[in-house]
C-alpha cells in the first residue's frame, strides 16, 4: 500500500505514527480539490492500493463523488478510516465501501 500524505503538519504527524514509509504529496494539501486526491491515488486504475492522509472537506468531497457522483462534501471525522475499492463486473464499474472505522476504533 502506498501512503500518500498532505504536507500539513498534522497530516505528517499522523503519517509518522503509522510507522510506515510514506510520500508527501503537495497536491493533496489543505483545500485541495477532490480531483487532486483521486489523481494522486491513481483512482481507479492504480495497481497498488493507496492510503491517503488528507483533510476535510476534501476527503468528504472525494467520498461523495465516488459513491453518489454528487458535487458535495460528506462529514468525515478526524482520524476516521474509509476503505473504498473499485470493482469491474460484466462491463460495469462500481465503487464498493469495504469498511468505515470511527476514530475511536482505529
Amino acid at each position: 500500500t502506498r501512503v500518500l500524505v498532505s504536507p500539513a503538519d498534522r497530516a505528517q504527524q499522523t503519517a509518522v505514527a503509522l510507522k510506515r514509509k510514506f510520500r508527501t504529496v503537495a497536491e493533496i494539501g489543505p483545500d485541495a480539490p477532490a480531483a487532486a486526491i483521486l489523481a494522486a491515488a491513481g483512482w481507479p486504475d492504480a495497481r497498488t492500493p493507496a492510503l491517503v492522509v488528507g483533510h476535510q472537506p476534501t476527503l468528504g468531497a472525494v467520498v461523495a463523488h465516488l459513491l453518489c457522483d454528487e458535487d458535495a462534501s460528506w462529514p468525515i471525522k478526524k482520524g476516521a478510516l474509509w476503505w473504498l475499492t473499485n470493482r469491474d463486473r460484466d462491463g460495469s464499474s462500481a465503487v464498493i465501501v469495504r469498511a468505515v472505522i470511527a476514530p475511536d476504533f482505529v
Side-chain angles (χ1 to χ4, degrees):
T1 299
R2 298 168 295 130
V3 180
L4 310 174
V5 184
S6 161
D9 289 343
R10 185 64 190 106
Q12 293 287 307
Q13 293 166 353
T14 299
V16 168
L18 295 172
K19 298 185 180 179
R20 296 189 51 141
K21 291 172 79 174
F22 63 89
R23 182 168 60 102
T24 300
V25 181
E27 294 81 14
I28 66 172
D31 301 319
I37 302 288
L38 295 171
W43 184 272
D45 300 319
R47 295 201 178 267
T48 57
L51 183 143
V52 177
V53 180
H55 309 278
Q56 269 297 85
T58 302
L59 294 176
V62 169
V63 171
H65 171 74
L66 291 175
L67 296 178
C68 297
D69 197 28
E70 59 182 53
D71 189 22
S73 183
W74 290 5
I76 294 179
K77 287 191 159 230
K78 288 182 181 183
L81 175 75
W82 285 62
W83 178 14
L84 305 174
T85 61
N86 188 48
R87 177 180 69 196
D88 290 315
R89 184 180 286 169
D90 301 326
S92 179
S93 181
V95 176
I96 309 298
V97 178
R98 296 282 183 191
V100 176
I101 303 173
D104 303 354
F105 298 105
V106 175

